[in-house]
Amino acid sequence: MLFLPVATAAASDTQAGESDPVILVLGDSLSAAYNMELSESWPSLLQDRLTEDGHAYRVFNSSIVGDTTQSGVSRLPRLLAEYQPQVVIIELGGNDGLRGLPLEVTQSNLQSMIDQSQAIGASVVLAGIRIPPNYGKTYTERFSEMYTELAAVEGVQFIPFLLEGIALDPELMMEDGIHPTANAQPLLLDTVWLALEPVL
């Protein structure tokens, strides 16, 4: 969610067979193991849970610190072609909001990613994001509503707020007030799992 001048990728697929169907995570620093070990991030924990529960899926985490929805739109076609994912988790938009980009652009990009994913037969999980109130009440409220409306129109699984129960807890957030700590990752996974499990 935080924009950084240098974007660091956290792309990995582990602990699963090469022939297993793929769950693609397309996100930003909230999913890219920001300031923690890759194994501590919620996508890595997701792979662990899938394996433990007997779900034969391979998680590919293509999340990049500082990524925007425009970058996601640009990267997604190659990822879809290469991995043919059965599920795509879209966790993008936070950096758009922090930059104050037009909501119409962000919404169009998110819709494009959903449509591209559904066009190859993938189920989509859309993770909603909220931005700090200092961007103005109208913009922040409309920003959150954008995700809700997209999920309803597109008929995708929806996480209303990825950082629910975490964002306001200083013990679960880094000093920047934007990124969840390693201790928060299991809670993030639980939130994601509620939306993901029905499509497994």
Side-chain angles (χ1 to χ4, degrees):
M1 190 167 162
L2 176 67
F3 175 75
L4 297 178
V6 179
T8 305
S12 63
D13 49 329
T14 59
Q15 301 179 20
E18 289 295 322
S19 62
D20 290 339
V22 169
I23 296 174
L24 172 67
V25 181
L26 187 66
D28 52 33
S29 56
L30 296 182
S31 303
Y34 180 76
N35 276 1
M36 68 186 71
E37 295 295 324
L38 187 60
S39 61
E40 296 177 306
S41 68
W42 73 259
S44 292
L45 298 179
L46 171 60
Q47 182 68 79
D48 294 340
R49 179 174 293 188
L50 288 165
T51 302
E52 291 168 1
D53 288 0
H55 294 292
Y57 286 90
R58 179 165 54 108
V59 177
F60 184 83
N61 184 13
S62 182
S63 297
I64 298 178
V65 175
D67 217 10
T68 62
T69 58
Q70 185 59 54
S71 177
V73 167
S74 298
R75 296 194 294 118
L76 185 58
R78 179 187 62 80
L79 293 167
L80 294 178
E82 182 173 356
Y83 293 100
Q84 293 291 309
Q86 186 166 321
V87 181
V88 178
I89 301 174
I90 300 173
E91 181 275 296
L92 285 170
N95 288 309
D96 297 45
L98 293 179
R99 289 179 172 187
L101 297 180
L103 293 173
E104 295 78 9
V105 173
T106 301
Q107 182 167 339
S108 177
N109 289 336
L110 289 170
Q111 184 163 1
S112 175
M113 287 183 277
I114 292 170
D115 291 345
Q116 288 182 55
S117 301
Q118 291 179 329
I120 69 160
S123 298
V124 174
V125 177
L126 178 64
I129 305 296
R130 296 176 189 168
I131 57 174
N134 54 297
Y135 285 79
K137 182 178 180 181
T138 300
Y139 185 84
T140 55
E141 289 183 353
R142 184 70 191 92
F143 187 86
S144 297
E145 291 169 357
M146 171 182 65
Y147 288 92
T148 304
E149 293 170 4
L150 268 174
V153 170
E154 297 292 326
V156 300
Q157 290 295 108
F158 182 46
I159 302 167
F161 181 36
L162 184 63
L163 299 182
E164 188 68 49
I166 296 172
L168 299 180
D169 188 337
E171 294 186 0
L172 296 175
M173 297 293 290
M174 296 183 187
E175 291 185 4
D176 60 18
I178 294 175
H179 296 94
T181 64
N183 289 337
Q185 300 302 303
L187 298 178
L188 276 168
L189 172 59
D190 288 342
T191 297
V192 172
W193 188 257
L194 288 175
L196 175 63
E197 188 177 24
V199 301
L200 295 178

